[in-house]
Amino acid sequence: MAHSAQCKLILTLHTYSSLTTDIKDSDGTSQESWVNKASPEYVVKFLKENYPDVPEYLYKLIRTAPEDGIIDWALLWRDPQPNWTSPLGRVVQVGDSAHTFLPSSGNGAVQGIEDAISVATCLQLGGGVKGGLWSKTHNKLRQV
Amino acid sequence: MLGPSAQRHVEKTWPSVYDAALKTAPDPWISFHKATGEKVAGPTPFNFKRDGAVLVNEDGEPAPDRVYRVSRPKFNAALLGQVLALGIDVTYGRKAVEYFEDETKAGVILEDGSRAEADVVVAADGLGTKSHKLINGHDIRAMSSKHSIFRTAYHVDHISSDPELDKMFPLRDDGGAVLQIWTAGDLQIIVLRAPEVVEWHIVHNVS
């Protein structure tokens, strides 16, 4: 950017349960969270009870996982939104904030990086932050 | 997974991130299986298709030639290293609860009531972002898909040292990674066998 810019990064780690509806699996234990764990034995028991076709050697694979290393992540729907930028154009959503990916889609990292490239380019070429033209341009180009 | 658009950008623009996290990342081929583990097809490399035809790159070869399975810890560490190298101030463990803006600035209100202000704020706080209220005028409700996913990743030692698991979840002949996808009804099992790590995901019904 042409003018001097100060940049600050605030990193947060949180669970997302505050915005979610109640998600119940057989034990009511799934959450949309990186810290919600299931033990290997829980997964094996779950498969045995629900999917009897699965072979023995898959149980063996599951039991090689660390005891506290399996995450049970609830897959939740969210309606896509038409806007990723605020009315005055000073706040912009990128990555999973902007998109409604499920982790099983395997596309979150790419979209986040593409968002970052687009935000940086529009900030650089968008004629300054006042008026928010840069972020409206970003939103327009990325929504297509 | 990291596809070609992001790969190319990182390689060209952030070479140290590329070297640290992408250059040696596994590039799995996919094989398809029944829920019994029986193989139906593959393994085959990733190909993007349009109208049923495989897309080709500038050299007329199937594109992309590589899709990376990136290690989150390695990629995060490389990005953080770049941030620190640029002299950007990093604050940890603060929870954003609300976003705001006016004609001259934008900002975030944090859980402890303190405020952080800037010319521009990038809301990258993920699926549960608190920015929807400012941006779309309302919070976004999450709805159950009636499915959940068990997911894990760890070092490959316990697989490579077990003859049965090593045989059922093998690497490619050239030593590359293989991603097995098992499907039946509402069950999907994905097992990645890579040279250094094993990862598995089980998408399952939630009763």
Side-chain angles (χ1 to χ4, degrees):
Chain A
M1 293 198 306
H3 58 87
S4 72
Q6 213 187 8
C7 197
K8 190 177 176 71
L9 189 62
I10 300 173
L11 292 178
T12 66
L13 176 66
H14 56 199
T15 62
Y16 305 119
S17 51
S18 58
L19 272 178
T20 64
T21 52
D22 287 339
I23 300 303
K24 303 279 186 209
D25 64 10
S26 50
D27 277 357
T29 52
S30 297
Q31 277 182 36
E32 198 177 41
S33 163
W34 288 108
V35 292
N36 188 48
K37 304 290 172 60
S39 69
E41 282 312 316
Y42 176 86
V43 177
V44 168
K45 185 168 164 276
F46 182 88
L47 286 175
K48 280 186 173 171
E49 287 172 3
N50 295 283
Y51 302 101
D53 288 350
V54 167
E56 284 288 331
Y57 70 86
L58 192 80
Y59 305 145
K60 198 172 175 183
L61 171 75
I62 289 165
R63 289 186 173 117
T64 64
E67 185 63 27
D68 62 350
I70 304 168
I71 293 157
D72 186 11
W73 184 287
L75 299 175
L76 305 181
W77 300 120
R78 288 179 179 78
D79 291 338
Q81 300 301 310
N83 293 313
W84 296 325
T85 64
S86 56
L88 301 175
R90 286 181 180 270
V91 179
V92 56
Q93 297 173 329
V94 300
D96 282 359
S97 298
H99 312 289
T100 53
F101 281 121
L102 299 174
S104 49
S105 62
N107 200 231
V110 169
Q111 294 301 323
I113 290 168
E114 288 187 1
D115 285 346
I117 297 165
S118 174
V119 163
T121 307
C122 291
L123 264 175
Q124 191 178 20
L125 303 177
V129 295
K130 225 173 149 73
L133 182 63
W134 74 275
S135 64
K136 291 190 180 77
T137 308
H138 160 77
N139 198 80
K140 183 94 178 159
L141 292 174
R142 288 292 284 157
Q143 288 267 357
V144 171
Chain B
M1 290 294 176
L2 208 55
S5 61
Q7 275 172 44
R8 276 197 300 271
H9 177 81
V10 173
E11 185 172 3
K12 273 197 309 199
T13 318
W14 305 99
S16 63
V17 174
Y18 180 80
D19 287 348
L22 298 188
K23 201 173 172 180
T24 58
D27 57 333
W29 292 16
I30 307 182
S31 60
F32 297 91
H33 302 251
K34 296 181 182 174
T36 57
E38 183 193 338
K39 188 161 81 177
V40 178
T44 57
F46 274 88
N47 282 313
F48 283 165
K49 289 184 178 172
R50 184 177 293 153
D51 300 330
V54 174
L55 296 181
V56 294
N57 63 18
E58 292 155 2
D59 301 322
E61 294 158 347
D65 54 354
R66 210 171 162 190
V67 169
Y68 294 85
R69 179 62 197 175
V70 176
S71 152
R72 287 169 194 272
K74 278 187 190 172
F75 194 51
N76 287 350
L79 289 174
L80 182 60
Q82 202 70 60
V83 163
L84 296 175
L86 291 169
I88 292 169
D89 181 21
V90 181
T91 307
Y92 291 92
R94 309 294 293 275
K95 190 171 174 181
V97 294
E98 195 179 331
Y99 290 76
F100 62 89
E101 68 175 349
D102 60 30
E103 299 290 345
T104 59
K105 63 182 183 302
V108 184
I109 299 172
L110 301 166
E111 198 173 28
D112 63 3
S114 63
R115 294 154 75 94
E117 293 182 352
D119 290 333
V120 166
V121 174
V122 176
D125 50 347
L127 289 170
T129 181
K130 301 298 183 187
S131 60
H132 284 308
K133 211 158 191 172
L134 173 66
I135 288 177
N136 286 298
H138 53 85
D139 285 330
I140 307 299
R141 294 294 299 181
M143 295 160 281
S144 172
S145 70
K146 303 270 196 291
H147 288 79
S148 178
I149 181 168
F150 296 121
R151 50 199 307 207
T152 187
Y154 45 97
H155 196 268
V156 78
D157 275 354
H158 292 297
I159 312 303
S160 47
S161 64
D162 183 298
E164 186 186 19
L165 292 177
D166 194 46
K167 180 171 162 244
M168 302 317 280
F169 301 102
L171 292 167
R172 302 198 303 263
D173 290 343
D174 67 1
V178 174
L179 187 76
Q180 294 191 10
I181 300 179
W182 300 18
T183 48
D186 60 6
L187 176 71
Q188 186 186 54
I189 301 168
I190 295 175
V191 182
L192 172 74
R193 167 73 194 274
E196 288 179 19
V197 297
V198 60
E199 288 184 39
W200 50 262
H201 297 186
I202 301 174
V203 180
H204 60 89
N205 194 9
V206 173
S207 52

